[in-house]
Structures are given as C-alpha cells and as structure tokens.
C-alpha cells in the first residue's frame, strides 16, 4: 500500500495567488486568511499608531509594519507569514532582514490579533515559528477573551506573562515604553 504524499507549496504559490487573496505558508502548507473584523482592524489601527508615535517621539531606529507585510520567517521557500504588526530594529551593518520585498528572518517584535479562524495558528504554529526564528517578543492579543499573552522569547526558557485589556503592558524590546490598553479606542 502506497503512502499518501502531501504536496508542499512554496512562496511562489503564495505570490501567484489572485489579487486580494491572502494566505500564509507554514512548512509547505497553505493557510488562507479570512478578512479581519472591525474590532480586529480597530485594535490594529490603535496599536500601530501607538508604536509609530513612540518611535517618532524617541527618534528610534526601529520600524513598525502592519499586515499585509511579507515575512519570510525561515529564509526558505516553505514558510511565509503576514503578522498583524511587527517591528524590525537594525542590528549592525550585517543585518539584512529588512529588504524591499519584506522581512527575511525573525522580526524583533511580533503582534498577532486573534480571530476566530486564526486561534490555533496564533497560539501554536506561529509561536513555534517566531521562537525558532529569533523573534525577541511575541504578543497574542485576543479580543474574545480580552487577554494579551506576552512571550519574552529572548530567555533560554521563554517567559510568558498574561495581561487583560485593563492593564498597562510593558514593551520589553524597549526599556521605557508601555501600552495602556484602557486608553486604546477600539471598542464599538
């Protein structure tokens, strides 16, 4: 009896998708992405604005990007992600992660806003990818539970801290910056 073989897709398949169709690729498997709902988009707007404002006020060298933005997480043809929000900080002249077509390798900071269809991806599959790619800090923002899980991935054993939407959350990649979720204007 022959074993069932599974077709492996590549980033070429992702790039060949019709206009407007978004998908991610993990270990050669395509995962199509649903259109984000209003709360998801409002959270992304508020968080993006907060990060960009902080960086401008502090003349930071890090850059904030938000979906859709290409992340070739493993620098291979079988893995491609579009995090909701990511930050890339320059790490010397040899740092070639930030390129014209997106980020090659792990960003310094990644934030995913959980949607009903992305729960398993954000909590499990992406956590593993981000950790192994060298992402320093990963936030999972869950509007349904009103919780934020913050993974400090720089530790030998990743440190997980759980917050609510009533908390002020420190951004670990910056030593002097926190986000007060009570002040974000995303609720309908």
């Amino acid at each position: 009896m022959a074993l069932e073989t599974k077709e492996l897709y590549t980033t070429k398949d992702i790039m060949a998708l019709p206009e407007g169709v978004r998908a991610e690729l993990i270990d050669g498997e395509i995962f199509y992405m649903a259109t984000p709902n209003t709360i998801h988009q409002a959270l992304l707007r508020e968080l993006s604005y907060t990060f960009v404002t902080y960086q401008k006020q502090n003349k930071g060298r890090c850059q904030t990007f938000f979906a859709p933005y290409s992340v070739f997480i493993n620098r291979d043809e079988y893995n491609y992600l579009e995090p909701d929000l990511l930050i890339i900080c320059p790490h010397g002249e040899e740092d070639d992660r930030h390129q014209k077509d997106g980020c090659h390798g792990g960003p310094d900071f990644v934030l995913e806003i959980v949607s009903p269809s992305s729960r398993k991806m954000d909590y499990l599959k992406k956590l593993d990818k981000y950790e192994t790619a060298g992402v320093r800090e990963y936030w999972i923002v869950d509007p349904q539970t009103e919780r934020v899980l913050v993974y400090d991935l720089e530790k030998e054993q990743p440190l997980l801290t759980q917050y609510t939407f009533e908390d002020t959350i420190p951004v670990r990649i910056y030593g002097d910056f926190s986000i007060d979720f009570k002040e974000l204007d995303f609720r309908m």
Side-chain angles (χ1 to χ4, degrees), residues 149-164:
L149 299 183
V150 175
Y151 290 90
D152 182 349
L153 300 175
E154 289 186 294
K155 308 271 187 227
E156 191 170 310
Q157 285 292 322
L159 175 65
L160 168 62
T161 308
Q162 183 172 272
Y163 298 93
T164 73

Side-chain angles (χ1 to χ4, degrees), residues 2 6 9 13 43 81-82 96 109 113 115 144 148 152 175 179:
K6 185 169 125 180
Y9 294 95
D13 297 306
L43 266 167
L81 300 174
E82 289 186 4
D96 66 345
F109 177 95
I113 300 169
S115 299
Q144 184 177 0
V148 179
D152 182 349
I179 296 177

Side-chain angles (χ1 to χ4, degrees), residues 55 58-64 87-93 174:
Q55 289 165 345
N58 291 280
K59 297 178 179 33
R61 294 179 33 228
C62 300
Q63 291 188 312
T64 298
I87 297 173
I88 304 170
C89 302
H91 296 284
E93 289 184 29
Y174 303 119

